[in-house]
Amino acid sequence: MFLKKYRIFAVLALCLILSCTGCSKDLILDGYNNLLHFTSQFALTPKKNLQGEKTEGSDTYTGSYTANYENFSGTEYLFGGTGLIREKGNDLTVTYKLTADSGSVRLYQTRGTDEQLIADTSASDTYILSLTSQDNYIAIECDDFCGSLQISIK
């Protein structure tokens, strides 16, 4: 009970401080958006842990990745992030080529808690990905997978 009252007091104090400092709503939203973009980069698989070579683009949403998998099991979060809006626009062009020789694979994108399958067999395609104001990631999930992936997001 004490902690609940303390949280309410802290939130009210923060609101009072922000209203007294003259911060505009846009400035607060921009700060929150920047915080989301910054913290969401830590959800991506670190470059040193990736099975392939990643070339980063202008932000965490863009770049290219090429990998040859040999009996790999695991999930790699390749590109993406979280934010209210993306400075360079919310539409991205995704081009990929997935070659599946053996094992199982799922190339997918997340939007919040929803997952949308991109490919789970050998395939190649180009499509437009529209980002939403929630988690947006491109990931590959493998189980004893042998094959390759080439993906480019601009």
Side-chain angles (χ1 to χ4, degrees):
M1 183 69 150
F2 175 75
L3 290 177
K4 189 174 184 179
K5 288 181 182 179
Y6 180 73
R7 280 190 228 152
I8 292 171
F9 176 73
V11 169
L12 290 174
L14 180 62
C15 290
L16 180 62
I17 291 168
L18 289 176
S19 67
C20 292
T21 61
C23 290
S24 70
K25 177 180 157 187
D26 290 339
L27 187 61
I28 293 170
L29 287 175
D30 285 345
Y32 181 64
N33 189 49
N34 291 338
L35 178 66
L36 286 174
H37 282 290
F38 175 75
T39 57
S40 68
Q41 69 183 327
F42 300 108
L44 297 173
T45 302
K47 246 180 153 174
K48 66 180 181 173
N49 296 347
L50 292 171
Q51 298 300 300
E53 295 295 320
K54 180 177 177 179
T55 303
E56 296 174 350
S58 60
D59 58 19
T60 60
Y61 297 91
T62 60
S64 61
Y65 181 68
T66 302
N68 291 311
Y69 297 95
E70 197 67 39
N71 299 316
F72 176 69
S73 294
T75 301
E76 296 180 313
Y77 289 90
L78 304 172
F79 299 99
T82 304
L84 301 176
I85 60 169
R86 181 173 169 261
E87 191 174 292
K88 298 182 185 217
N90 288 337
D91 290 333
L92 301 170
T93 302
V94 179
T95 304
Y96 72 92
K97 179 179 181 183
L98 177 65
T99 304
D101 297 327
S102 65
S104 64
V105 64
R106 282 185 348 111
L107 180 64
Y108 63 95
Q109 70 185 54
T110 63
R111 286 186 175 161
T113 58
D114 295 332
E115 290 182 3
Q116 181 177 341
L117 181 66
I118 298 170
D120 61 0
T121 61
S122 293
S124 61
D125 199 3
T126 298
Y127 68 97
I128 302 297
L129 168 63
S130 295
L131 302 175
T132 59
S133 59
Q134 53 191 334
D135 291 340
N136 295 275
Y137 291 96
I138 299 286
I140 185 167
E141 180 181 3
C142 307
D143 186 17
D144 201 25
F145 177 63
C146 293
S148 63
L149 172 65
Q150 295 173 303
I151 188 166
S152 174
I153 304 176
K154 298 177 183 179

